[in-house]
Amino acid sequence: MRSITHYLNNLKHILICFFFLFLLFLIFGSSFQSSPQISSSTHPINSYSLEEKQSRDCPTPPLTPTCTKISPSLANALVHYATSNITPQQTPEEISVSQRILNKKSPCNFLVFGLGHDSLMWTALNHGGLTVFLEEDKSWIEQIKRQLPSLESYHVVYDTKVTQADELLEIGMKEECKVVSDPRFSKCQIALKGLPNEVYDIEWDLIMVDAPTGYHDGAPGRMKAIYTAGLMARNREDGETDVFVHDVDRVVEDKFSKTFLCEGYLREQEGRIRHFTIPSHRTRLGRPFCP
């Protein structure tokens, strides 16, 4: 009798357990089925899956990555300056003045009076454009060409001395020096006439005057270089030319840049460098030499 009663009690417990398991199955099963319906009905705009959202927010990159080489001029500049103990003549702040203009205008035509340790840098910043250097020291040109044969430079002979600066400033105030023309045919005595024809034939977008030597009385000085840079800018067919003069802390560079590039065209000065923007004088007849 006890064994039958014990058996019935065990069977009762087993049935109760199955009953509770069946209820749990019904509860959780219905919640699983209803949850997608609630989500879709409550948020219909965001009904797409997380994977779809990630694919929209973060596009899959191409299976084959592209490889873009740096320009040869930049590669040469990186190697040159990384292996050299000599730094450019201008400070980083001064360089940034012309760099900003090159960032906007390059590739362009860039004429530089002076061949120095920063020449490769200017060529790299004007990648794809024409960068030409004018240098007074023939032996220095040969030395630089052995190190950097890709640079395009020309030898220029100057027939002036720094001691003649005041006399040349007076000459530059004469009427023939206010006439806009090709420097080769100018009647002004301070116009450079001995440059290569290629230099006169090209319309320069940027001109940097950082030469010839001007720090002692017997040096050629930059009187003619500054005047000629301004004449080239005015004589272009149209548009503007950005002209930079370095070492304006010296008397010659200070006076000649203000007089012949004009304070009215002065845009910026940083340290020892001045930036002028000179418009074409051929597009508007009667424009005064200085505004």
Side-chain angles (χ1 to χ4, degrees), residues 24-39:
L24 289 174
F25 176 80
L26 290 176
I27 293 171
F28 284 103
S30 61
S31 65
F32 287 145
Q33 291 177 356
S34 61
S35 59
Q37 296 175 354
I38 295 173
S39 176

Side-chain angles (χ1 to χ4, degrees), residues 77-228:
L78 288 172
V79 173
H80 174 75
Y81 292 114
T83 58
S84 174
N85 294 325
I86 303 174
T87 56
Q89 291 90 329
Q90 298 183 26
T91 66
E93 293 77 17
E94 292 168 350
I95 291 172
S96 68
V97 175
S98 25
Q99 181 187 2
R100 284 196 298 271
I101 305 302
L102 279 169
N103 287 343
K104 295 177 183 177
K105 289 193 169 183
S106 65
C108 62
N109 296 328
F110 187 12
L111 179 66
V112 183
F113 285 84
L115 181 67
H117 300 295
D118 53 1
S119 297
L120 187 59
M121 176 191 68
W122 296 127
T123 302
L125 291 174
N126 190 32
H127 174 65
L130 174 65
T131 308
V132 175
F133 302 92
L134 305 177
E135 173 58 40
E136 66 193 281
D137 189 340
K138 197 170 186 178
S139 62
W140 177 246
I141 293 177
E142 294 172 355
Q143 180 180 339
I144 293 296
K145 278 191 172 182
R146 286 195 294 269
Q147 299 175 4
L148 306 167
S150 62
L151 297 182
E152 184 174 351
S153 58
Y154 297 95
H155 179 230
V156 180
V157 177
Y158 295 91
D159 58 358
T160 57
K161 302 292 182 184
V162 171
T163 52
Q164 300 174 288
D166 291 338
E167 177 187 349
L168 294 174
L169 190 62
E170 290 184 13
I171 292 174
M173 301 307 294
K174 295 181 178 180
E175 284 303 314
E176 59 264 28
C177 294
K178 303 294 179 65
V179 176
V180 175
S181 64
D182 187 319
R184 286 172 290 190
F185 313 122
S186 174
K187 295 181 180 179
C188 183
Q189 294 181 37
I190 56 175
L192 278 170
K193 298 179 173 66
L195 303 179
N197 286 329
E198 294 86 350
V199 174
Y200 296 112
D201 293 337
I202 293 171
E203 290 193 342
W204 301 100
D205 302 297
L206 278 79
I207 302 177
M208 172 78 71
V209 181
D210 204 1
T213 307
Y215 61 86
H216 60 89
D217 289 346
R222 299 177 186 174
M223 297 80 70
K224 286 193 171 185
I226 292 172
Y227 174 82
T228 303

Side-chain angles (χ1 to χ4, degrees), residues 61-69:
L63 296 178
T64 305
T66 58
C67 180
T68 304
K69 290 184 178 180

